[in-house]
Amino acid sequence: MAPDTVSQKNECAPLAVRWSGRLSLTPRILAVNVFALALLAGGFFYLDSYRTRIVDDRLDQSARELQLLAIGLQNAPADRQNALIAAYSRQTGDRVRRYGADGMLIADSFTMDAPRYRLRLPSEEEWQRHVARFLDKLVDRVVSADLPPDFEEPAVDRAAAWPEVTLARKTGHPQAVNRYAPDRTFMISAAVAGRDGTSLLATENARDITRTVRAERLRLGMVLAVAALASVLLSLFLARTIVQPLQRLARAAVRVRLGRAREVTVPRLPERRDEIGMLARALSDMSQALRQRIDATDAFAADVSHELKNPIASLRSALDALDRVDRPDLRAQLMAIAQDDVRRLDRLVTDIAEASRVDAELSRTRFEPIDLGLLIEKMVLAREARGVPRSVRLAFARPRKDIAVVLGEEQRLVRVLDNLIDNAVSFSPEGGLVRIIATVADDQVLVSVEDEGPGVPVSEREHVFRRFHSVRPEGEAFGKHSGLGLAIARSIVEGHQGRISIGDREDAQSGARFIVRLPMAVARDPGIVSE
């Protein structure tokens, strides 16, 4: 392809986009349907060809019939020729004229019998015929039809006044011509030259052709009118069912964008089961999620402010008292308090930063197949190698390889399992047992962590997942935990389309049982989850 052609195509595409972008959906729907009707309107071109065929057939017919009359006149006695012309005129409705060898009129059927037709002037017609004639002109203008000349009776009726008679005498062949009468009906004129030098001219006012064409045009116009009305109504109905819901959704989205998310109720259109309904419900769910995210952010900011105030106030008090205390033991005690508050602040800031970026990082991370059985086994071996506090024992029932496979981000799942195991170890008694089980049920991977501690009261089982909410074992120093571990674990699990909950141990013994449910990965290839 030549460079100029490529450049031209690249320029045309933005123009088409800009053109369509200026129109709303309603006129575009109407334009598409009206374009289809324009193709139907092309039937008027068929109407012109239909009229031309009828006129051509009539011209041929008139020429053949007039030639038969000429043969009959040559074989008839002289006293019977005028009667034969009159009978032919009565039979066909034509006006037949006979010219002598000198071109003078020697016979006229209209003088022998009553005229078979009369040319009407436009001023003599009713208004309906004026409308019909106007439509005739309109169709001729639309299809650019070749219009025949106007029919006029000559001032002196001689053979030379009729071009078709002159041509028939010259060539010896029948001639036929079509003209327009004053009322735009067809005048079919045929001429035949006889062997004796005479010539015949037959003129017919073919109003039947005009009536036939107009009747066909009326039928076509009615079909076009009904199709146009149906197309417009269907287009408006289609626009109403598409454009108006989209406009409602767009207005709601604009209000949400302007910061009024709490005031806006995005229509869900429950009665719609098509793509518009799906879009409405998706936007409604998105706005609700946005509202929940805004509320969670506000609550998180308030909780962070509250949690940071306590160690900051304690640190400020210790530092203020440090300047007024001279005793070395008291100064050492205040310094220890200050250092403990600094460590607590550092822990809080670290956990707060971790909690705030969990959702963002999970939305950008590409999940990979992870065998949780193998992952937990490595974590348990690493913990046992480092040593577990208070001689707590870890027991893991490892499933078969490539069974407990999920799609996720390994480091985040490690963080969840670490938090759960740390929590279980911290609540376990001296020499207690922490059991970790990974199983598969109903297309889900279930990981449970059980301890032999006091358990979690039913009233607290939902609260422990809140930020900065912590229920710690008796005797543990205050401030050792930020209260964000389980909240971060829930955020990570939900970011993996899973759930985390707390229940009782299956053996009915005392202790807590944390259960993580994650959707099982569906392997598209047998080797996708292999080591």
Side-chain angles (χ1 to χ4, degrees):
M1 184 180 292
D4 292 343
T5 306
V6 176
S7 175
Q8 186 176 3
K9 288 179 65 178
N10 292 335
E11 291 175 0
C12 290
L15 287 176
V17 173
R18 288 197 297 269
W19 176 84
S20 62
R22 294 192 186 101
L23 298 176
S24 64
L25 285 177
T26 300
R28 271 190 272 181
I29 292 173
L30 283 170
V32 170
N33 289 328
V34 169
F35 176 75
L37 289 177
L39 298 179
L40 179 62
F44 286 111
F45 291 91
Y46 152 78
L47 194 64
D48 179 61
S49 64
Y50 173 74
R51 178 180 61 186
T52 301
R53 287 197 305 271
I54 294 179
V55 171
D56 291 343
D57 290 343
R58 185 64 62 86
L59 290 172
D60 292 341
Q61 179 183 350
S62 296
R64 288 195 304 270
E65 291 177 350
L66 189 62
Q67 191 173 22
L68 293 176
L69 176 62
I71 295 173
L73 290 175
Q74 291 175 3
N75 298 325
D79 59 343
R80 293 288 301 164
Q81 291 179 354
N82 287 345
L84 187 60
I85 291 175
Y88 178 87
S89 178
R90 285 192 297 269
Q91 182 68 29
T92 61
D94 295 355
R95 179 180 182 179
V96 181
R97 303 177 227 207
R98 190 179 189 192
Y99 298 95
D102 57 355
M104 299 301 293
L105 180 66
I106 58 176
D108 186 352
S109 64
F110 273 20
T111 61
M112 303 174 190
D113 201 350
R116 310 310 300 177
Y117 64 83
R118 185 178 70 87
L119 298 181
R120 293 193 299 261
L121 298 177
S123 58
E124 301 174 351
E125 296 179 341
E126 300 175 351
W127 67 270
Q128 293 93 336
R129 298 186 184 276
H130 286 285
V131 173
R133 192 166 62 252
F134 170 77
L135 294 177
D136 291 340
K137 294 179 180 179
L138 180 62
V139 172
D140 290 341
R141 180 72 59 88
V142 170
V143 301
S144 299
D146 294 330
L147 301 181
D150 293 332
F151 179 84
E152 294 181 359
E153 288 286 349
V156 179
D157 195 351
R158 301 186 60 180
W162 302 95
E164 56 268 37
V165 176
T166 303
L167 188 60
R169 286 188 169 191
K170 183 178 179 180
T171 62
H173 299 292
Q175 301 294 322
V177 179
N178 173 40
R179 295 184 178 90
Y180 262 159
D183 60 352
R184 288 186 67 84
T185 55
F186 293 102
M187 292 296 299
I188 304 299
S189 176
V192 175
R195 296 177 184 175
D196 56 358
T198 61
S199 57
L200 291 176
L201 173 67
T203 56
E204 174 191 4
N205 189 199
R207 289 194 178 94
D208 60 316
I209 296 179
T210 302
R211 286 193 292 268
T212 301
V213 173
R214 286 177 177 173
E216 188 71 17
R217 184 185 65 203
L218 178 61
R219 287 191 290 269
L220 180 61
M222 291 179 63
V223 171
L224 184 60
V226 172
L229 180 61
S231 178
V232 170
L233 293 178
L234 289 175
S235 298
L236 294 177
F237 171 76
L238 186 61
R240 180 182 179 86
T241 57
I242 294 178
V243 177
Q244 289 188 358
L246 289 179
Q247 288 176 342
R248 292 176 60 191
L249 295 176
R251 286 194 294 268
V254 169
R255 295 185 64 192
V256 172
R257 180 180 61 83
L258 294 177
R260 303 172 184 172
R262 290 183 174 84
E263 305 173 8
V264 180
T265 301
V266 178
R268 295 184 63 85
L269 305 180
E271 71 281 359
R272 299 287 295 260
R273 299 299 177 186
D274 54 6
E275 290 79 1
I276 299 293
M278 294 172 59
L279 175 62
R281 289 183 283 277
L283 287 177
S284 178
D285 294 340
M286 183 182 69
S287 65
Q288 291 178 7
L290 178 61
R291 187 180 299 117
Q292 293 173 358
R293 182 65 58 86
I294 293 174
D295 293 340
T297 301
D298 293 343
F300 183 64
D303 292 342
V304 168
S305 176
H306 179 268
E307 290 297 320
L308 291 178
K309 282 182 179 179
N310 291 332
I312 290 176
S314 175
L315 181 61
R316 180 185 296 115
S317 299
L319 294 177
D320 290 343
L322 193 61
D323 292 336
R324 297 192 298 269
V325 173
D326 296 331
R327 290 173 50 184
D329 56 336
L330 293 179
R331 290 178 64 88
Q333 185 178 358
L334 291 173
M335 185 60 68
I337 293 174
Q339 291 175 349
D340 186 65
D341 288 333
V342 169
R343 286 192 294 269
R344 184 181 174 192
L345 283 172
D346 179 69
R347 185 167 49 253
L348 277 172
V349 170
T350 301
D351 288 346
I352 288 169
E354 175 72 14
S356 63
R357 66 171 179 262
V358 164
D359 291 341
E361 290 185 352
L362 284 177
S363 64
R364 295 191 300 266
T365 302
R366 181 177 180 180
F367 287 178
E368 301 289 343
I370 298 173
D371 188 344
L372 285 183
L374 182 61
L375 181 64
I376 296 173
E377 184 179 32
K378 292 179 180 179
M379 293 175 61
V380 170
L381 293 176
R383 278 182 172 268
E384 290 176 341
R386 294 194 307 266
V388 184
R390 301 191 313 283
S391 302
V392 174
R393 295 164 296 154
L394 301 178
F396 173 51
R398 187 190 189 285
R400 289 182 318 201
K401 184 180 177 182
D402 296 339
I403 293 298
V405 178
V406 300
L407 288 177
E409 203 275 316
E410 183 173 347
Q411 295 303 318
R412 294 298 173 185
L413 293 178
V414 167
R415 176 66 185 271
V416 172
L417 297 171
D418 263 336
N419 284 347
L420 296 181
I421 295 174
D422 283 341
N423 188 75
V425 170
S426 64
F427 279 94
S428 295
E430 184 76 25
L433 176 66
V434 174
R435 298 176 57 194
I436 307 168
I437 303 173
T439 59
V440 175
D442 298 331
D443 295 331
Q444 287 186 326
V445 176
L446 276 63
V447 177
S448 65
V449 180
E450 299 179 356
D451 59 54
E452 296 178 343
V456 181
V458 176
S459 59
E460 293 289 331
R461 288 180 180 178
E462 186 61 29
H463 296 165
V464 296
F465 292 106
R466 295 179 181 176
R467 293 185 176 101
F468 305 110
H469 186 91
S470 180
V471 178
R472 303 309 306 166
E474 295 182 2
E476 185 178 276
F478 174 76
K480 295 294 184 182
H481 295 269
S482 63
L484 288 172
L486 291 179
I488 293 174
R490 168 169 277 188
S491 296
I492 295 174
V493 171
E494 291 178 350
H496 285 74
Q497 308 301 317
R499 292 185 298 116
I500 183 172
S501 59
I502 303 176
D504 296 323
R505 291 178 47 152
E506 293 182 343
D507 56 7
Q509 300 296 320
S510 64
R513 180 173 181 247
F514 283 80
I515 306 167
V516 176
R517 294 177 173 85
L518 294 172
M520 186 171 60
V522 178
R524 299 180 182 177
D525 188 280
I528 192 172
V529 294
S530 61
E531 277 189 278

